[in-house]
Amino acid sequence: MRNLIPILTALGALLLIWQLAVAPMNIRGALDIAERGGAQITPEGSVPRRDVSVWRLMAENSSYVARGYALDRPRLPTPAQVSLELWKTTGAMVMKGRAWSKRSLIYHGWVTLQSTLWGFLLGTSLGVLGAIAIVYSRTAQLSLMPWAIISQTIPIVALAPMIIVVSSQIGVEGRGLPKAIISAYLCYFPVLVGMVKGLRAPEPSQLDLLKTYDANGLQSFLKLRLPASLPFLFTSLKVGIAAALVGTIVGELPTGAISGLGARILIGDQFGTPLAIWSALFAAAFLAGMLVTLLDLVQRIALRQMGAQA
Amino acid sequence: MSVISAQDLNLTFQTNDGPVHALSDVQLEIDKGDFVSFIGPSGCGKTTFLRCIAALETPTSGQLTVNAMPPDAARKSRAYGYVFQNAGLYPWRTIGRNIRLPLEIMGYPKDEMASRIQRVLKMVDLEGFEKKYPWQLSGGMQQRASIARALAFDADLLLMDEPFGALDEIVRDHLNEQLLQLWAQTGKTIAFVTHSIPEAVYLSTKIVVMSPRPGRITDVIESPLPKERPLDIRETPEFLALAQRVRDGLRAGHSYD
């Protein structure tokens, strides 16, 4: 309960800033519409108004500021508009029994979630295997690590279309696999880095101890390095799943996909419906929050099983 | 019969600042059932020597045998239990499962593991703590658990590297007393590194005084004290004379700096 107050305060402040920002963001649109409806606006005409600051426009046409909060295609929708749109595309669809319709964000969210989970699985496996190779082989460390770092300097937006093209060239049907690959591409790196650190976490004396038992490599991996790395693994998994979601959405953007939250964002952009963009963005944020919270829960349970201090 | 025999043992580490002579011409015989303490200032090679016995370091030259074998063969035959300065218990394992660790690695049958764990827990007076995690135990209890772990697989040789160095004096006195009982009870050969003169004198049948740069043995003292040693033996003239001799030996080794 004590945690709730600061959280709600921050949330309230953000909503307030958002609500206030709607006025200057939408004033031009509101004035254009009002003028078309025959109202007297100073200065006249939308072209001359381009050179006037939003603050002066608001000051000189103060009676039309409120109209910016009720536009059909606002530059910045109000929190209430976004909430309503979110409700219309989720809860209301469910109540109408059309949760899986193409207009439902639940459907698009599910498409994105699937790719995200496949990408997460693929990326995590690659990251863990890469980390094991790097920790156990100096050759792998010298050859793999630089490429891993370089891979993250290439903008994923540039790489995503190439992955789509290559996968369709080699005969992969559908968008599922290429999207998962793009998602894995973003997700493997935090897992790799975290696991390298985690597998190297045991102190020299702990490794010496196993040597005094004449433990073999597999034993020291399973009994020492792996359990010692788990706290690091969970931390990087949480970063990784968020990255996987971003990767999937990016994978849906420039690829002509028609379903998925990324596609909704793109379509909203192309058809000039900011409300669709904003509700897709919030759906993505909600999805990310859910996934991270879920992993956090798994982490707590797992580490408690491993005797972590409560 | 010598359990550990070192002849002309040398170990030189190559560092960026040039070679460091960690051990120089070390000669030593340790007999079965001995309690040998290695005492000296930091850098005198006492820990390095112990690590050579454990085959965790390899001497540059000279002869070293453990149970008449090369150290590495002795390590592979699990000839010794090693107790590190920090207890080094795995935080994700309970005390019982920490003691189980060497037994799992060495492939003991399940029911034998359980009985061994109970036996060594009893030896270090930790019965009932099997299911506790290390963080739930005090430093002294953790170190006792780590001794139990070293005892679990019945090696005849116990190598202890400043095991009580991080503990306060009251706990240390108590553990010293317990260790002597344990030694009397099991008849193990113990090599014990310390930088505490009273600890070395109280525990040992043989005290090896070492000095640094290069790391070498300056004195080997056979203790005239009886095997039965109550804590108040430390007030007797024999004990104090022995402590004085160790102190003189340490001082002589330091005379040049």
Side-chain angles (χ1 to χ4, degrees):
Chain A
M1 195 59 206
R2 257 187 310 161
N3 296 338
L4 214 58
I5 293 166
I7 292 173
L8 289 179
T9 310
L11 188 67
L14 281 173
L15 282 173
L16 186 67
I17 292 169
W18 180 4
Q19 184 75 18
L20 290 175
V22 169
M25 286 297 288
N26 289 349
I27 185 70
R28 290 178 202 277
L31 293 181
D32 289 351
I33 286 170
E35 196 170 42
R36 251 178 268 147
Q40 193 64 38
I41 306 293
T42 40
E44 255 178 72
S46 68
V47 178
R49 278 201 293 274
R50 271 184 215 158
D51 299 327
V52 183
S53 78
V54 288
W55 313 112
R56 235 186 85 194
L57 287 177
M58 280 162 64
E60 288 178 1
N61 306 284
S62 53
S63 54
Y64 295 105
V65 170
R67 290 210 184 182
Y69 286 83
L71 299 179
D72 280 343
R73 294 188 168 189
R75 185 162 286 175
L76 176 65
T78 66
Q81 283 176 315
V82 173
S83 313
L84 187 66
E85 175 74 12
L86 264 175
W87 169 250
K88 275 201 268 181
T89 47
T90 54
M93 303 293 278
V94 174
M95 282 167 67
K96 279 188 272 177
R98 296 178 54 212
W100 301 106
S101 118
K102 295 257 189 289
R103 283 184 42 80
S104 156
L105 276 184
I106 296 175
Y107 162 75
H108 292 287
W110 171 243
V111 170
T112 300
L113 178 65
Q114 274 179 310
S115 277
T116 302
L117 291 180
W118 281 116
F120 179 65
L121 198 69
L122 185 64
T124 303
S125 319
L126 284 176
V128 170
L129 290 177
I132 293 170
I134 284 171
V135 168
Y136 276 93
S137 149
R138 201 174 148 66
T139 318
Q141 186 195 344
L142 293 176
S143 55
L144 230 58
M145 208 55 186
W147 288 107
I149 292 165
I150 288 170
S151 77
Q152 299 304 298
T153 64
I154 302 169
I156 188 70
V157 228
L159 209 62
M162 285 193 244
I163 294 174
I164 305 275
V165 169
V166 170
S167 11
S168 82
Q169 279 293 318
I170 58 174
V172 174
E173 299 282 328
R175 307 247 169 234
L177 183 67
K179 263 160 60 179
I181 292 174
I182 295 164
S183 157
Y185 188 89
L186 279 192
C187 150
Y188 87 95
F189 189 69
V191 177
L192 178 87
V193 173
M195 271 309 267
V196 167
K197 199 166 162 49
L199 291 172
R200 286 190 177 143
E203 290 166 34
S205 71
Q206 290 181 316
L207 290 163
D208 279 345
L209 179 72
L210 288 180
K211 202 176 167 195
T212 70
Y213 301 150
D214 196 31
N216 62 35
L218 184 67
Q219 285 171 328
S220 60
F221 176 75
L222 290 177
K223 295 195 190 295
L224 176 58
R225 286 193 192 268
L226 195 63
S229 74
L230 282 191
F232 294 84
L233 176 67
F234 276 113
T235 308
S236 19
L237 286 185
K238 282 192 267 182
V239 180
I241 193 121
L245 180 66
V246 171
T248 303
I249 290 175
V250 170
E252 288 164 349
L253 278 178
T255 56
I258 48 165
S259 37
L261 294 175
R264 290 295 288 178
I265 293 172
L266 191 73
I267 290 166
D269 188 45
Q270 285 165 345
F271 289 85
T273 48
L275 274 173
I277 302 180
W278 279 83
S279 53
L281 279 178
F282 271 90
F286 179 72
L287 202 58
M290 220 173 57
L291 291 171
V292 172
T293 309
L294 198 69
L295 275 176
D296 193 61
L297 202 69
V298 176
Q299 175 183 29
R300 274 164 205 257
I301 294 168
L303 294 188
R304 183 147 318 157
Q305 286 294 312
M306 288 172 63
Q309 265 163 295
Chain B
M1 172 211 149
S2 289
V3 174
I4 293 162
S5 160
Q7 271 147 35
D8 306 319
L9 204 66
N10 284 282
L11 175 56
T12 310
F13 290 116
Q14 298 300 335
T15 69
N16 290 335
D17 301 330
V20 172
H21 299 281
L23 291 175
S24 169
D25 293 326
V26 168
Q27 318 275 350
L28 191 71
E29 301 289 324
I30 297 178
D31 292 330
K32 189 165 170 49
D34 269 354
F35 195 126
V36 183
S37 284
F38 296 85
I39 188 165
S42 353
C44 71
K46 53 193 193 300
T47 293
T48 307
F49 184 58
L50 204 67
R51 290 174 62 85
C52 284
I53 298 171
L56 295 172
E57 305 283 353
T58 312
T60 322
S61 69
Q63 285 287 318
L64 177 64
T65 59
V66 178
N67 288 344
M69 285 182 267
D72 207 49
R75 175 177 70 83
K76 291 198 165 108
S77 71
R78 282 120 182 194
Y80 63 84
Y82 201 107
V83 179
F84 290 86
Q85 179 170 10
N86 59 343
L89 300 169
Y90 291 0
W92 56 85
R93 282 177 173 248
T94 57
I95 297 305
R97 294 196 58 236
N98 263 292
I99 296 170
R100 226 174 106 112
L101 177 73
L103 305 175
E104 285 172 15
I105 288 170
M106 297 172 190
Y108 281 82
K110 270 220 166 69
D111 43 343
E112 196 186 336
M113 284 201 245
S115 64
R116 276 171 182 266
I117 292 168
Q118 290 311 322
R119 201 194 64 204
V120 292
L121 277 173
K122 197 169 176 181
M123 281 166 96
V124 298
D125 215 5
L126 276 181
E127 293 150 293
F129 288 91
E130 192 183 350
K131 297 215 156 57
K132 297 271 187 233
Y133 283 96
W135 62 270
Q136 295 170 302
L137 268 59
S138 69
M141 288 161 97
Q142 289 187 21
Q143 199 53 272
R144 263 148 60 195
S146 108
I147 293 170
R149 183 177 59 185
L151 292 170
F153 51 98
D154 280 333
D156 287 331
L157 176 61
L158 206 52
L159 305 176
M160 307 179 86
D161 185 7
E162 293 190 36
F164 309 139
L167 305 176
D168 67 64
E169 201 155 331
I170 301 162
V171 176
R172 182 189 276 231
D173 278 354
H174 179 60
L175 290 188
N176 282 341
E177 220 180 349
Q178 272 200 323
L179 183 59
L180 271 189
Q181 285 165 8
L182 198 80
W183 172 64
Q185 199 182 327
T186 58
K188 290 189 191 301
T189 311
I190 299 183
F192 187 95
V193 167
T194 179
H195 49 225
S196 153
I197 296 172
E199 189 171 67
V201 175
Y202 176 66
L203 292 172
S204 319
T205 56
K206 190 185 255 188
I207 303 162
V208 178
V209 183
M210 297 182 76
S211 88
R213 287 176 297 269
R216 63 194 188 280
I217 293 176
T218 51
D219 199 2
V220 178
I221 305 165
E222 298 286 344
S223 172
L225 299 178
K227 263 203 151 187
E228 283 286 313
R229 296 177 189 180
L231 266 179
D232 50 20
I233 200 172
R234 297 182 301 182
E235 316 301 330
T236 62
E238 292 85 0
F239 186 96
L240 295 173
L242 203 56
Q244 190 57 45
R245 190 174 157 195
V246 174
R247 193 168 289 118
D248 289 344
L250 288 171
R251 203 166 288 150
H254 255 91
S255 57
Y256 52 87
D257 61 17

